Amino acid sequence: MYSKVIIKYPDVNRAYAESKSVNYSQQNVIIANTNLLKSIYSTNKSAINKYGQIFDIDNSIILSFIISESGGTDAPANQFGATGIMQMTAPTVWEILSKWKSTVGSDLPSEAKSYFDKVLPESKNFNPNVLPSATLKSKITKLLQTNREFSIAIGTANIRWLLEAYSNNLTSPINKVMVSYNSGYYGTKNKIKGSPTTNSMVVNKSLALESRSYLLKMLGKNGFIQLYFDNKLDQL
């Protein structure tokens, strides 16, 4: 059984007082972000619905990650090697698929496993103690760049993987997952111990500025999750 997701919105109600801040309550920003939500959801609805159901992640969360990570484009690799519509890296893909059961506590859902085995046959033999070769990493990177279903499937699996990694008594806070998805679990987990509020995380300068801005983009007033429900995209 998966952990219940703890999510509040809006969970940050003030302007972001750091450089390059965006006021998400400006009308032109609300209109632009709403149109972006609708466009990306329309284009990717099938995969979002499918893997949201498989991994028990609400569509609003998946869509918010897509927009925050790539703006809905098949983004090229950044300086960390993250690429595709959900900006995943090959080592993270390997870690999720090789360490799923030890982290999540159950087998990978059969429908997801069948899909991953089909598009990435090497995943059947992933060893959590043996890092992927350069050739394998290159293949995974290409898949992330060219196969949107794969990118959305593994990105949604990553959200669930992180939720279970942070689970406490079968509940898990989405704010910690949002920061860790962007900055990496192992480099983040010791900076956000316990149950920090979203406001405290936004001003926690030990966390990357981009990661903290995710909280405002997704959970803040007029953030992507609020706009998703305000515009009744859940009813489409």
Side-chain angles (χ1 to χ4, degrees):
M1 180 173 63
Y2 287 143
S3 299
K4 180 181 179 181
V5 182
I6 301 173
I7 180 169
K8 302 174 185 177
Y9 71 92
D11 202 24
V12 183
N13 291 290
R14 61 177 182 77
Y16 200 27
E18 293 196 38
S19 61
K20 299 182 180 179
S21 62
V22 175
N23 184 344
Y24 293 101
S25 293
Q26 288 182 344
Q27 193 60 31
N28 64 318
V29 176
I30 292 174
I31 292 171
N33 284 343
T34 298
N35 290 336
L36 189 60
L37 274 166
K38 291 178 177 178
S39 174
I40 294 172
Y41 190 42
S42 174
T43 303
N44 302 283
K45 185 176 180 180
S46 178
I48 291 172
N49 286 347
K50 178 179 179 179
Y51 294 100
Q53 290 177 5
I54 289 173
F55 293 108
D56 194 17
I57 304 293
D58 192 85
N59 289 356
S60 64
I61 296 173
I62 302 170
L63 188 57
S64 295
F65 271 95
I66 288 173
I67 297 174
S68 298
E69 285 288 344
S70 69
T73 67
D74 299 307
N78 62 19
Q79 67 268 37
F80 304 108
T83 190
I85 196 170
M86 293 194 76
Q87 286 288 278
M88 295 284 290
T89 67
T92 301
V93 171
W94 164 81
E95 181 157 32
I96 291 167
L97 296 180
S98 66
K99 300 180 182 180
W100 180 270
K101 189 168 186 176
S102 63
T103 300
V104 177
S106 61
D107 291 328
L108 194 67
S110 58
E111 189 173 358
K113 186 178 188 310
S114 295
Y115 175 71
F116 291 135
D117 288 350
K118 177 181 177 182
V119 297
L120 185 63
E122 294 89 343
S123 65
K124 299 176 187 177
N125 301 310
F126 276 2
N127 184 334
N129 299 311
V130 180
L131 293 173
S133 66
T135 300
L136 180 56
K137 285 192 288 186
S138 178
K139 179 176 180 177
I140 295 171
T141 297
K142 185 175 181 180
L143 266 175
L144 290 168
Q145 291 173 335
T146 61
N147 187 323
R148 279 203 175 185
E149 182 177 354
F150 177 76
S151 190
I152 290 172
I154 197 65
T156 306
N158 189 26
I159 296 170
R160 174 50 64 188
W161 193 96
L162 289 167
L163 282 165
E164 298 309 319
Y166 282 121
S167 178
N168 181 23
N169 295 323
L170 289 178
T171 60
S172 190
I174 196 65
N175 56 4
K176 294 172 75 169
V177 171
M178 288 174 174
V179 170
S180 295
Y181 189 109
N182 180 252
S183 290
Y185 173 68
Y186 296 106
T188 305
K189 64 177 182 176
N190 290 328
K191 300 176 183 178
I192 48 176
K193 293 181 178 179
S195 301
T197 65
T198 301
N199 273 315
S200 70
M201 292 171 68
V202 166
V203 297
N204 181 353
K205 293 191 176 182
S206 71
L207 301 172
L209 177 60
E210 182 182 65
S211 299
R212 289 182 281 144
S213 74
Y214 269 38
L215 299 171
L216 291 155
K217 290 179 181 180
M218 292 197 257
L219 290 177
K221 185 173 177 59
N222 294 307
F224 296 131
I225 290 177
Q226 180 180 344
L227 293 179
Y228 176 91
F229 288 106
D230 282 356
N231 288 277
K232 297 181 170 57
L233 297 188
D234 58 317
Q235 298 177 19
L236 296 179

